[in-house]
Amino acid sequence: MEVLAGPPARKQSSALPAAAALPSDPQPTPPKPVQIAVLKARDLKTIKSDVSVTLVRAEYNGAILGDSSTTNVLPNGTASYNFTTSFDCSPDGRNSWDDIAHKPVLLTVIEVLQSEKRQKEKTMPLGQAVVDLLPLLQGQCSFKVSAPLYAVPTSPLESLQPEAKGGLEVTVCTEEPLLSASQLSNGNLLSVTLEAAYSAPEAFAPSGPLQNYMACLQVPAAGEKEVPLLFKNGILKPAGEKEPLPRPKKWPLANVMAPGALSIPNSFIVGGPYEDEDGELNKREDREFRIQAESTKRIVWDMERRCYLDPAAVAILQKRIAECRYWPVEVCRMPVASPSKGKTSKADKGDEDKQIFFHGVAYVNMVPLLCPGVKQIRGAFRVFTYQDSEVFEKTKSQHSVFRDLRSQLSLTKEGSWTPGISTPLSRAVPSKSQKEDKEKITKEKDSNRKTSSVPKIQLSDATVEAENVTYLSLDGQQYVEAGTFLVMEIKLDKALVPKRSREELTGRVKQMIPPRPPLPPRTAGAKKAVEGYHSHVTSIAVAILSEYHELFGKRLPDRGAIDHQTLEEQKRQLNFELNSSGKYFAFKEQLKYAVVKIVREKYLKTTAFETQEQFQAFLSELYVYLVDQMHVALNQLLSEEAASPAPLSRTTREQLWLFAREAEVNKDYKLASLYHQQRVAQDQRNIQCWLDYGAFCLLLEETTKAQECFQQALSLDPHHIQSLLLCGVGAVSLQHYEEAELFFEDACCLEPSNIVAWTLSGLFYELQNNNIQAEMAFREAKKLLQAQLAKERSIPEAAEGKKHISAVCVSSPSPGPEECLPERVADGSADKVPEAVEPALACAAPEEEATAPEAAPKAPASVSGVSRPPCTIFMKAVEFLMKVNAIQFVHMALAHELLSPPGGPSCAYYLALAQTSLLKEDFSKCEECLCEAVRIDYVNPNVWAQKGHLCYLKRDFGEAKECYERTISFVEDAADMHFVYLRLGSIYLEEKEYGRAKQTYLLACKNSASCLTWLGVGIACYRLDEMAEAEDALSEANALNNTNAEVWAYLALICLQGGRQLEAEQCYKYVVKLGLRNAALLRELRAAQQRFGFGDPAF
């Protein structure tokens, strides 16, 4: 293989990434010397036992660097050379950094044969070794290697073992690193390995004239250049055994005499399962074809070509892949011309130059290299006929590399074999149809030349090539008929898109839970209810006995006997005293609570009876049970102290906001409204709480209520810009246009530098057909934006670490409109994560029992996943309006944005349009917008998160999982990572990947803990049999929200596993009371109750 001068550079867009910008007058880099020192050779006797005198020759990039002096070989086979030579290396010189990457130093040990006096010394190559210079591009200034020495065959018929039989000790050094720190960190190394072409066409035969099988592709270099990578000298092998695995990769060298020296040290082709490949033919149904093809006729290269990419080339590579996912890899077969034959005519020469035989192309999908952390792709790629129109349509490539380089592809058949040249060429016989087609084309051309003399017309190259289309198509079609495919690997030293390095969350779940005061142990199961009834009965009995003693005294008659008549009289007097004093009513009320507890805990009756007969039957059963238990209590006369009350707790505003957002995403709008109302009730003078509640009402299209919230916020601060703008938006929705105009005018007067205020005013005036006012407002907003951008550009780089002020809030005393609400996430009921509970011994009961103590998790960060601020006034307005659900104004702003940018809509435009489509559940429109967004900005985590939400709501969980995993792999977070974690965790739970689910939910807990995040951790731990951690996690979930039925259900399962009857019954009581809607979980719980024999008080 060799690297040739590239074709004319393609015309690129001027909007290249910043890293690709080159200085207008680059200063030439001075060459840097690379010093090669060959110290000694060892084990030379193993190659040839009678060798006595040798020397070593160093070659690099086709040039001989020098020979050492002759040295005697010691009896142990060693020879000390201490030979030093060097060559110069520079980015643009003969020995470039790209040469350093893929061309090794070739060292040849030459035996000096003894000769008679006055005769020239005879030499014979003994062995060869290669030294890889790649460490010089990895930041090293010097290194020492023991290069394996391979024997050189004495004739072309000699077959040698590929194992090395000796070695050379070599040191390589430079005075300073070849690459600067910036080039080292921002550059990259691209390796392309072409393994083989399997299922070769029938026309390829190992006999006949010499043929050269070649493949080629282009990769970007610095600036506008492109480097063609040409793989030559493929070996045609007949059907038979498969290629062995692992097998070494080969250097792209042609002047190596020792076959073993072609192998790259420590670099092997290892293969792998077809299903894990990135290309085509990796489905289960393709497996049999792949296995058969590997044993049939094939062309083998096994070559690796490495290419150094400077920072500019890396940026261009990433941009090219984003613009066009498929890259063409061309293949062809070229005849090797023999110099011994007679001269051919000029016409024939021109014909031969222009024709590329068996011209095919494979399309390699490079997009996986834009996934975070992906550094290589490997797979099989089908070969198709090379057709210009099809290649341009799929790859946007207008040039054939082979056609551009055909003048440099002159191949000459070698004469007799000479040591030092080893070109593995294959032979093939052209098919009969090929010969006939070529003769036919030649005759037609001759005929055309004769008939075209009057008038004389000069045919262009394009016309001549058009005449060859039929012939070339016949050649290339054979690839399709044979099912030919290439197996190749493209590998990068560093991923184009870095993947975030996650810290290991290996600590126990309890260590992540914030400290909170322990809840007192409190049980309220059926047994406890009965015991409470016993306690009340005995206390009332003691009170009645005291009344009796007051009336009749404590002294009893002799022998303690009282006649029946006296006893009845005392009973009447006691009843009269209790009723007249009101004590009887007090005792009855005291006992009523205990009876109610028994009805709820023992009989689980909390709703009205359907019929009177059911009610009477239940009363009869209850009366018998209460009388029996009363007798038990009177006999025992036991009492118990009441449990201490649970400490009060207070949920923070941030927690309530997070709970409201989760309920909103789950489309549980009633619960979301309750949380918003709780936020407002906690602090009625908090403006943000009112604005959030109003934005939620806009989502539900409750415009009147939303406007009331916005006006309440404005009444707290009449100079609050966001409140003024939202009051204007609400007034427009209610068609109160005069009020809206006042609000927008007031906002622009209070804060003249507010871009969003001017933009919304312009949209309002446009809605009123007041074009003059609208144009004025837009002009003012654009002027402010230009000034803002100029100011940001003028900030010195040293201040980049400082916090940037929002473009909307420049010189504003209050937060800008963009900060009023966090980013939205696609709504959907599909992400109902199982919910969690507190540990059984510290369970906070809903409503009738105290809530859990205060917790303070952070609200999900609303930081944009890609730190690119909107660059137009309309996208700035959209960014604000999307957060407050002002969809009417969003569509107006997007309509302007569609016509505004000169380069077409931005990624942010399509992302916003996709979000509005998802709110309307227009999935097809949303998918179209996201496809455009991905095309524009393939590495935007917000786009992939939104695509994951779309797939999740469509219940395409496999695709949603891939999108979410890619989102969390990016170094920068998406705007709604909380819901990405929740939904990805729920998918893992559904697919029973409990370990990954636990880690995902823990990440969510770390960023913004909620009941749902801790519930996910609890479920995963429970399924992993980590009961202690599961209970800890469910405890925290219950502390954050004690009205979640699934929390109680999983806690009941844990209590059943631990043999804790009272706690299991208590949890089950709240499962029933809160109405668990997860039928599968309820069946699992009841099956566990049956298995353990307790847990349901009805047993």
Side-chain angles (χ1 to χ4, degrees):
M1 178 191 159
E2 56 191 71
V3 181
L4 305 175
R10 302 180 196 168
K11 186 175 181 181
Q12 295 297 326
S13 170
S14 60
L16 288 176
L22 296 176
S24 56
D25 238 358
Q27 295 295 327
T29 305
K32 299 179 181 179
V34 178
Q35 189 177 78
I36 313 294
V38 184
L39 304 180
K40 65 177 181 179
R42 52 179 172 78
D43 299 330
L44 293 179
K45 296 285 187 180
T46 60
I47 299 177
K48 187 177 181 182
S49 58
D50 59 349
V51 63
S52 59
V53 181
T54 61
L55 60 86
V56 64
R57 173 174 296 165
E59 300 177 51
Y60 185 73
N61 200 9
I64 297 178
L65 303 180
D67 293 352
S68 71
S69 58
T70 57
T71 304
N72 293 325
V73 179
L74 300 179
N76 61 1
T78 62
S80 297
Y81 299 113
N82 294 320
F83 165 62
T84 301
T85 185
S86 64
F87 64 89
D88 289 336
C89 173
S90 63
D92 304 317
R94 168 177 167 77
N95 301 318
S96 65
W97 291 335
D98 186 59
D99 293 323
I100 297 290
H102 81 280
K103 292 181 180 179
V105 174
L106 181 62
L107 301 174
T108 306
V109 176
I110 301 175
E111 181 184 10
V112 180
L113 303 174
Q114 295 180 355
S115 59
E116 297 179 3
K117 292 182 180 181
R118 297 181 181 179
Q119 288 187 357
K120 189 177 179 180
E121 288 184 342
K122 294 183 179 180
T123 60
M124 177 65 67
L126 187 66
Q128 281 189 320
V130 292
V131 177
D132 192 356
L133 300 180
L134 186 61
L136 296 180
L137 296 179
Q138 296 173 334
Q140 297 187 33
C141 290
S142 64
F143 61 92
K144 183 177 181 180
V145 295
S146 179
L149 187 65
Y150 298 90
V152 174
T154 56
S155 72
L157 300 178
E158 182 181 357
S159 177
L160 296 175
Q161 296 296 325
E163 291 81 11
K165 295 187 176 181
L168 291 176
E169 290 187 10
V170 185
T171 60
V172 180
C173 64
T174 59
E175 295 179 357
E176 56 181 286
L178 294 184
L179 303 179
S180 65
S182 174
Q183 292 169 332
L184 194 61
S185 59
N186 298 323
N188 213 328
L189 190 73
L190 175 69
S191 301
V192 179
T193 302
L194 182 61
E195 299 180 17
Y198 293 100
S199 189
E202 289 296 326
F204 292 0
S207 58
L210 285 176
Q211 303 286 343
N212 194 316
Y213 299 94
M214 296 183 290
C216 189
L217 76 157
Q218 289 189 141
V219 297
E224 299 283 325
K225 299 178 183 177
E226 287 193 352
V227 177
L229 307 184
L230 182 64
F231 295 82
K232 298 172 66 173
N233 305 328
I235 302 174
L236 180 64
K237 294 188 176 181
E241 296 183 359
K242 294 183 178 181
E243 296 297 313
L245 288 175
R247 60 185 186 272
K249 297 179 181 179
K250 297 178 181 178
W251 290 106
L253 302 176
N255 59 337
V256 176
M257 294 177 283
L262 280 172
S263 300
I264 302 176
N266 303 318
S267 186
F268 298 93
I269 297 172
V270 296
Y274 303 135
E275 294 79 7
D276 295 342
E277 294 179 352
D278 302 292
E280 308 164 36
L281 300 173
N282 53 3
K283 303 294 188 298
R284 184 175 301 176
E285 55 268 23
D286 302 320
R287 181 178 179 82
E288 185 176 351
F289 169 70
R290 290 284 298 274
I291 294 174
Q292 292 177 355
E294 290 176 359
S295 303
T296 59
K297 184 164 50 179
R298 58 201 179 273
I299 305 166
V300 179
W301 286 274
D302 287 346
M303 282 186 188
E304 180 184 71
R305 167 61 162 93
R306 299 190 295 228
C307 181
Y308 171 74
L309 303 177
D310 63 10
V314 172
I316 295 175
L317 175 66
Q318 186 170 344
K319 181 174 182 290
R320 292 273 181 84
I321 296 175
E323 290 175 347
C324 187
R325 65 171 55 209
Y326 293 106
W327 283 31
V329 178
E330 299 179 45
V331 294
C332 74
R333 187 184 77 174
M334 297 290 287
V336 180
S338 176
S340 60
K341 293 182 180 181
K343 294 183 179 180
T344 57
S345 67
K346 292 183 179 179
D348 292 339
K349 282 185 178 179
D351 228 20
E352 199 163 331
D353 267 347
K354 288 180 171 58
Q355 290 185 4
I356 301 173
F357 299 103
F358 292 94
H359 195 185
V361 62
Y363 301 104
V364 179
N365 186 2
M366 302 282 282
V367 166
L369 291 179
L370 293 184
C371 298
V374 174
K375 295 191 288 187
Q376 73 171 38
I377 55 176
R378 180 185 180 275
F381 303 93
R382 295 182 184 273
V383 180
F384 300 92
T385 306
Y386 190 97
Q387 297 179 349
D388 292 326
S389 58
E390 182 181 347
V391 173
F392 177 74
E393 180 183 354
K394 298 198 70 172
T395 70
K396 303 299 184 290
S397 175
Q398 300 179 355
H399 304 275
S400 164
V401 184
F402 282 137
R403 289 177 190 160
D404 292 333
L405 301 178
R406 57 191 162 196
S407 61
Q408 303 178 47
L409 297 181
S410 56
L411 303 173
T412 305
K413 179 181 176 183
E414 308 298 340
S416 59
W417 181 87
T418 305
I421 298 177
S422 176
T423 306
L425 300 176
S426 303
R427 294 175 164 270
V429 177
S431 62
K432 182 178 179 182
S433 61
Q434 177 180 335
K435 291 181 178 179
E436 291 174 353
D437 290 334
K438 187 173 180 181
E439 291 172 359
K440 181 179 178 182
I441 291 172
T442 305
K443 290 178 181 178
E444 288 177 356
K445 288 182 180 177
D446 293 338
S447 174
N448 288 339
R449 292 191 188 101
K450 293 177 182 178
T451 58
S452 62
S453 57
V454 180
K456 201 166 188 179
I457 299 175
Q458 180 66 38
L459 293 178
S460 66
D461 286 347
T463 308
V464 177
E465 289 204 16
E467 296 173 353
N468 297 331
V469 168
T470 304
Y471 171 63
L472 298 178
S473 298
L474 290 175
D475 275 353
Q477 184 64 25
Q478 297 192 38
Y479 291 120
V480 180
E481 295 172 356
T484 306
F485 61 91
L486 294 178
V487 177
M488 61 187 303
E489 175 190 72
I490 300 175
K491 184 177 181 181
L492 291 162
D493 187 51
K494 292 177 288 190
L496 291 177
V497 181
K499 185 175 182 179
R500 72 171 68 216
S501 56
R502 294 272 182 201
E503 62 180 3
E504 294 296 328
L505 298 173
T506 55
R508 286 175 55 84
V509 175
K510 201 166 188 176
Q511 297 174 354
M512 296 185 61
I513 299 176
R516 59 178 72 251
L519 293 172
R522 188 175 184 186
T523 56
K527 184 177 180 181
K528 185 65 178 178
V530 174
E531 291 175 354
Y533 175 73
H534 289 173
S535 175
H536 284 84
V537 168
T538 53
S539 64
I540 293 172
V542 170
I544 294 175
L545 184 59
S546 299
E547 289 292 324
Y548 179 87
H549 288 160
E550 289 181 5
L551 290 175
F552 307 109
K554 295 183 179 181
R555 296 185 61 184
L556 295 177
D558 295 339
R559 300 178 185 178
I562 301 178
D563 61 88
H564 178 72
Q565 185 176 357
T566 303
L567 189 62
E568 286 295 324
E569 180 64 24
Q570 290 180 348
K571 181 179 178 181
R572 282 195 299 271
Q573 291 183 24
L574 179 61
N575 285 335
F576 175 79
E577 182 64 27
L578 292 175
N579 281 291
S580 60
S581 64
K583 293 181 180 178
Y584 179 83
F585 179 78
F587 291 153
K588 185 175 68 172
E589 288 299 316
Q590 182 180 350
L591 197 59
K592 181 190 296 184
Y593 178 76
V595 174
V596 170
K597 294 289 287 184
I598 286 180
V599 172
R600 290 179 175 177
E601 303 293 340
K602 176 68 180 177
Y603 292 96
L604 302 179
K605 299 294 184 182
T606 57
T607 59
F609 291 90
E610 295 180 357
T611 62
Q612 187 67 22
E613 290 77 10
Q614 291 180 355
F615 179 60
Q616 292 298 328
F618 173 72
L619 287 181
S620 300
E621 181 183 356
L622 178 63
Y623 178 78
V624 172
Y625 181 78
L626 291 177
V627 170
D628 290 341
Q629 294 301 317
M630 180 189 67
H631 292 156
V632 173
L634 292 177
N635 291 332
Q636 292 178 348
L637 292 176
L638 299 176
S639 63
E640 293 184 1
E641 296 182 1
S644 58
L648 296 176
S649 68
R650 184 178 178 86
T651 312
T652 64
R653 289 195 303 270
E654 291 76 13
Q655 288 176 310
L656 289 173
W657 176 86
L658 177 59
F659 301 161
R661 287 290 297 119
E662 288 179 335
E664 181 184 326
V665 169
N666 286 336
K667 292 194 174 181
D668 191 348
Y669 298 128
K670 183 177 179 181
L671 182 60
S673 179
L674 177 63
Y675 283 129
H676 279 296
Q677 291 170 9
Q678 289 181 14
R679 288 188 77 205
V680 171
Q682 277 192 9
D683 187 359
Q684 296 189 10
R685 300 196 61 80
N686 187 289
I687 295 176
Q688 195 61 53
C689 294
W690 286 108
L691 295 182
D692 291 343
Y693 190 18
F696 170 72
C697 294
L698 278 184
L699 177 67
L700 301 184
E701 298 182 352
E702 297 177 359
T703 312
T704 303
K705 186 183 291 186
Q707 185 70 348
E708 292 175 358
C709 294
F710 297 148
Q711 290 178 350
Q712 180 65 30
L714 187 61
S715 67
L716 296 174
D717 182 3
H719 298 153
H720 194 254
I721 299 300
Q722 298 100 308
S723 302
L724 282 169
L725 293 177
L726 289 177
C727 282
V729 170
V732 171
S733 301
L734 293 172
Q735 298 183 0
H736 299 166
Y737 298 118
E738 293 182 2
E739 294 182 11
E741 186 174 6
L742 290 176
F743 287 131
F744 288 130
E745 284 185 1
D746 199 10
C748 293
C749 291
L750 280 174
E751 194 170 327
S753 61
N754 194 307
I755 300 173
V756 171
W758 285 107
T759 306
L760 293 186
S761 296
L763 293 175
F764 166 73
Y765 286 125
E766 187 179 59
L767 187 64
Q768 296 295 301
N769 294 322
N770 190 341
N771 296 328
I772 296 177
Q773 287 281 72
E775 184 179 351
M776 185 274 296
F778 291 149
R779 188 186 307 116
E780 184 67 22
K782 291 177 180 177
K783 183 176 70 174
L784 291 171
L785 178 61
Q786 290 173 359
Q788 176 68 25
L789 295 176
K791 183 178 178 180
E792 290 176 354
R793 285 193 294 266
S794 66
I795 297 176
E797 294 183 0
E800 285 181 359
K802 295 181 179 179
K803 184 178 181 181
H804 291 282
I805 301 173
S806 174
V808 181
C809 312
V810 173
S811 69
S812 172
S814 58
E818 291 90 339
E819 300 174 8
C820 72
L821 283 176
E823 287 287 343
R824 293 199 46 76
V825 65
D827 292 347
S829 56
D831 31 282
K832 293 181 181 175
V833 186
E835 301 157 38
V837 201
E838 197 170 47
L841 293 178
C843 295
E847 295 180 7
E848 62 198 42
E849 298 172 19
T851 57
E854 178 177 347
K858 296 181 292 185
S862 58
V863 180
S864 175
V866 180
S867 54
R868 301 171 194 155
C871 58
T872 67
I873 60 172
F874 301 108
M875 288 313 300
K876 282 186 175 294
V878 167
E879 185 180 23
F880 166 64
L881 295 168
M882 285 298 298
K883 298 173 184 176
V884 297
N885 304 310
I887 305 302
Q888 179 185 3
F889 272 82
V890 167
H891 286 300
M892 294 166 61
L894 289 177
H896 276 278
E897 177 67 15
L898 184 61
L899 305 174
S900 177
S906 63
C907 176
Y909 166 83
Y910 286 111
L911 188 58
L913 194 57
Q915 290 173 335
T916 59
S917 301
L918 206 56
L919 285 175
K920 297 185 297 184
E921 297 187 354
D922 188 352
F923 294 153
S924 59
K925 177 68 174 177
C926 179
E927 188 170 6
E928 292 176 8
C929 295
L930 290 177
C931 288
E932 288 297 317
V934 168
R935 181 186 62 80
I936 296 172
D937 191 353
Y938 196 84
V939 294
N940 189 326
N942 285 319
V943 176
W944 289 106
Q946 198 68 25
K947 189 173 182 181
H949 297 326
L950 171 65
C951 297
Y952 194 98
L953 296 181
K954 291 169 63 178
R955 306 195 69 79
D956 185 357
F957 296 128
E959 184 68 21
K961 175 182 172 183
E962 292 181 6
C963 293
Y964 287 146
E965 287 176 339
R966 176 171 296 191
T967 302
I968 66 176
S969 296
F970 286 108
V971 174
E972 297 179 87
D973 282 337
D976 53 354
M977 289 301 294
H978 181 78
F979 299 99
V980 171
Y981 287 134
L982 280 181
R983 289 174 167 176
L984 179 58
S986 67
I987 293 174
Y988 285 146
L989 287 180
E990 187 70 24
E991 296 181 353
K992 298 183 179 180
E993 298 183 46
Y994 301 121
R996 302 180 73 178
K998 175 183 175 182
Q999 296 299 317
T1000 303
Y1001 279 120
L1002 284 176
L1003 288 172
C1005 291
K1006 181 180 178 182
N1007 291 340
S1008 50
S1010 70
C1011 173
L1012 298 185
T1013 60
W1014 283 114
L1015 173 58
V1017 176
I1019 296 174
C1021 292
Y1022 175 78
R1023 300 302 181 190
L1024 292 171
D1025 250 355
E1026 299 171 358
M1027 295 301 172
E1029 291 193 354
E1031 187 168 350
D1032 289 339
L1034 294 171
S1035 301
E1036 185 66 13
N1038 186 268
L1040 296 173
N1041 179 12
N1042 56 9
T1043 61
N1044 191 302
E1046 289 196 29
V1047 172
W1048 294 104
Y1050 277 101
L1051 187 56
L1053 289 171
I1054 291 176
C1055 295
L1056 289 171
Q1057 296 281 352
R1060 295 178 287 181
Q1061 180 177 352
L1062 294 179
E1063 292 92 327
E1065 290 181 356
Q1066 178 197 21
C1067 296
Y1068 181 66
K1069 174 190 72 172
Y1070 288 114
V1071 169
V1072 175
K1073 181 175 181 179
L1074 296 172
L1076 179 64
R1077 287 178 287 184
N1078 189 332
L1081 180 58
L1082 186 59
R1083 287 194 299 271
E1084 180 183 0
L1085 178 57
R1086 287 175 175 168
Q1089 291 172 341
Q1090 294 288 342
R1091 187 168 66 253
F1092 289 103
F1094 64 89
D1096 186 347
F1099 288 168

